[in-house]
Amino acid sequence: MTVPMDAAHEVRLIRFPIAVQARAQEQHAELMREFALLAIDGPGERGAHEVPLRLKRVMDELMVRYAGFGA
């Protein structure tokens, strides 16, 4: 579900723990890198490195659902 930009609201975070948020961003970036590495599939390379279908679906859903947060 995407919210139109004209429906956006200004939000102010008071006493927001910047260090916690920075660490969460780092962890998110690390997780996305791992997902990207798992998704890399060379030609004809199936088997031990194949991403399980369920994990692939979760990766795809997260990428779609939270795509706007990175912008």
Side-chain angles (χ1 to χ4, degrees):
M1 178 175 163
T2 304
V3 177
M5 287 305 290
D6 60 345
H9 298 280
E10 180 178 327
V11 176
R12 294 182 187 200
L13 303 175
I14 300 169
R15 297 174 51 168
F16 185 75
I18 300 295
V20 173
Q21 192 271 338
R23 182 64 185 134
Q25 271 187 315
E26 289 174 8
Q27 290 173 343
H28 176 265
E30 292 168 5
L31 182 61
M32 291 299 108
R33 277 191 296 274
E34 292 296 324
F35 280 167
L37 289 173
L38 285 171
I40 293 173
D41 217 5
E45 294 181 23
R46 294 281 181 205
H49 298 290
E50 186 175 353
V51 178
L53 184 58
R54 185 171 173 204
L55 177 59
K56 175 81 169 96
R57 286 182 182 148
V58 169
M59 291 166 44
D60 292 343
E61 181 179 337
L62 291 174
M63 297 297 270
V64 170
R65 182 180 290 185
Y66 298 107
F69 288 102

